[in-house]
Amino acid sequence: MINQEVSLQLAEDLGINQEGFERISKNIGRSPNLLELQIYSVMWSENVSYKSSFNWINSLPNKGENIISGARQSNAGVVDIGNGEYCVFKMGTHNHPSGIDPYQGAATCVGDVCRDVVSLGAKPLLVLSSLRFGEASLDRTKWLMDEVVKGVRDYSSVLYLENMGGEVCFNSCYDTNPIVNVMVAGVVPKDKILLNRKMIPGQLVLIAGNSTSAEGVYGQAESFTIPKGNPGIGSSLIDSILKLNDENAVVRIENLDMAGIVNAVASISVHAKTGVDIDLNQIPLNQSGLSIEQVLLSRTQERIVLVVDKEKQELVFDVFAKANIPCNKIGAIVEAKTIRFTEAEIVVAELNAHDLVMGYGAPQSNRKHHLIEKEVAIDFLENIPEPGNYWKVINKMVNIPNLIIKEFLQLNFEEKTNKSPSDAQIVTVNSNGKTLCFTVSGNSVYSFNNPNLGAQINIARAVRRIVCSGGKPLALNDCLNFGSPLEESVFSQFVETVKGISNASEFFDTPVVGGNVSFYNESSVLGKREAINPTPIIGMLGVIEPKTNHMSYIYRNKGDMIFLIGKSRNDISGSEYLCSIHKKCNVGVPYFNLDEEKAINNLVTKLIEKKLVCSAHSVEAGGLFFNLIESSMPLGLGFDVTSPAEIRADAFLFGESQGRIVVSVSMEKEDDFVDVMMESGVPFSALGHVTKGELRIDDISYGSVEEYKKEYQ
């Protein structure tokens, strides 16, 4: 063992306090050397140990009828989708790297999440992204967005992933700190899932993929470089893993991401409940002069660590060799209680893996937080005069970046995939026609105004989209993006958000099967660091069964009746309209009621199963007007609707009160539709009918849908 004198002062310089230093010494039975102290420093950091957040995310519901592996149990969530198959899906985030090198930050985010999915034996099939950028008019914002979108697209295309779009939003709080959240999903037969396979002494530990460099070594601020992806190697690596899994040649796979080899080996050790020996001289390097710390903690992309049985090693080497992927034996599982790293047969570090891994022995911090008092509901309509000219309001609203982008993505999705677009993105995953649906949902304005309620709305909105698409929601992943947890106000937002997610996910029976926490997301404002709005992103999985239940949001036929399920309300709280037209931003949350959401969802599911509706579309950002125009655009149809006398027109058109779905109904099915609605007891109203292309509201023409389409193209 290499012994180097270390002091408490050095430990504190590395972020380890006296209590932590004494704990390390006690657990390993001696004073740690410098390398060991550096390893503890990184493994106990916020990014790796989740020391501020773990106890809270550990409280999230993660079990359910279809859940095979929930949050904290594996590298990605595993959900039983029937017919002998599992869906594996995961969300990841590369916010900080994307703020420095947006192309590589976004590309490597896709690669990282893909390797987490394939580490469980599933072939990655699709990617969705949830992106946040600063003020839309800024040149920096345009550059960041172009590079991030290109990074996601380029990496996905090499892996033949179906890029299903997602959501893009703008807010000045992200001016210097973009949010790049990515969800990847794949499917694996039940008998091929790489989960909980028995690890025993004598099995070998291999490393495969890129040679190790100094990229992304966490904790080295002065020499830190953004890791760069190589989708060509990434694709070959994934193909090789899938071939080996078909041959039952792999026991376990760990993606080499944050804290690199140390984190992967520690994870293997705690799950095997035994020791691991690693020979650092066997790790292939792509540059000379690397320190041991850099080798162990590097975040070089396109790398994995595998556990294999001895008798399978030649098969493994052969498969990787044919793919021109370097693969080396670097160690073995041993009869011991520690992980040992050697160089030239000298032990340079020996550690207890249990002390290092999140959720096992890594220490947790009890951050200060407080209950966030609910705001007294404000009736904004009392003090805001009704617009005198709705033409002007609509012309301004259709040019709001957050609403333009939504239309642009939906139109592109329709044109490029030649599918019938739905509120959720639809994918058929095998020859049996198994149809899954996915969506990503986030609204940082709601979450800023009321973190608990905002989180619940994000989940309810994701559920509503899947229901409108004809699906049954099964499970969710989350990405929780916040400012510094050292700020009590920020950490209080985080705590309230987790409480909201827990409440809504349990209510809708959509367990949390995976996720990610990203702290220290801040922008510089006049030389001061200011936290972003709390930005929880929900990624949800659903299944459409039978596939004939698939429902689109587009209007099909002139003359079809348009109905609103749920109630119109005199409510403009938290809306794009309130912010953009009346300059009252970050105030209020729209009306929301969980019980009403569930009743409406159950009813719409019944209507779709009975084939009584031609389209179904959730009312969301921009309110009813944008819901109607989104359904009109794809086939060039329009609408003629009438507002109820008791609801002010701006609230009717642009309010964002929750629990509302717009459906279209053919004249032949109208009587049956009304019968089901009356029997249900759920509020509904007739809005009007589908036109040939004109947009009419309260007998006033607002042009043709073709004029609006030109604005977006």
Side-chain angles (χ1 to χ4, degrees), residues 305-325:
V305 164
L306 309 89
V307 176
V308 303
D309 291 319
K310 274 186 179 179
E311 59 269 24
K312 297 285 188 179
Q313 63 178 309
E314 294 307 320
L315 171 61
V316 174
F317 289 138
D318 183 59
V319 168
F320 281 120
K322 288 179 179 177
N324 293 316
I325 298 291

Side-chain angles (χ1 to χ4, degrees), residues 107-118 122-127 151-163 184-185 229-239 242 302:
T108 54
C109 187
V110 176
D112 266 340
V113 184
C114 281
R115 288 190 297 280
D116 281 335
V117 168
V118 80
K123 179 180 181 180
L125 296 174
L126 59 96
V127 58
V152 172
R153 183 188 65 229
D154 288 356
Y155 200 104
S156 302
S157 63
V158 174
L159 270 62
Y160 298 101
L161 296 178
E162 186 168 357
N163 188 344
V184 174
N230 186 322
I233 293 177
S235 179
S236 297
L237 189 62
I238 288 171
D239 289 343
L242 295 173
E302 328 301 352

Side-chain angles (χ1 to χ4, degrees), residues 57-58 60-63 67 69-74 76-77 512-515:
I57 61 175
N58 194 42
L60 293 170
N62 69 344
K63 292 180 171 58
I67 308 306
S69 179
R72 308 174 304 281
Q73 297 169 339
S74 57
V512 182
V513 296

Side-chain angles (χ1 to χ4, degrees), residues 81-100:
I81 56 174
N83 295 341
E85 290 180 313
Y86 295 151
C87 177
V88 179
F89 74 120
K90 171 74 180 285
M91 289 195 81
T93 175
H94 274 197
N95 300 338
H96 302 115
S98 297
I100 301 169

Side-chain angles (χ1 to χ4, degrees), residues 613-663:
V613 295
C614 302
S615 67
H617 193 15
S618 169
V619 180
E620 298 181 10
L624 182 65
F625 177 82
F626 282 87
N627 174 288
L628 296 169
I629 203 169
E630 286 160 12
S631 295
S632 299
M633 276 188 172
L635 296 183
L637 296 170
F639 55 84
D640 186 343
V641 298
T642 302
S643 63
E646 69 276 14
I647 305 297
R648 215 170 84 169
D650 51 351
F652 172 72
L653 292 173
F654 309 120
E656 296 178 15
S657 60
Q658 301 296 296
R660 293 183 295 159
I661 293 172
V662 174
V663 298

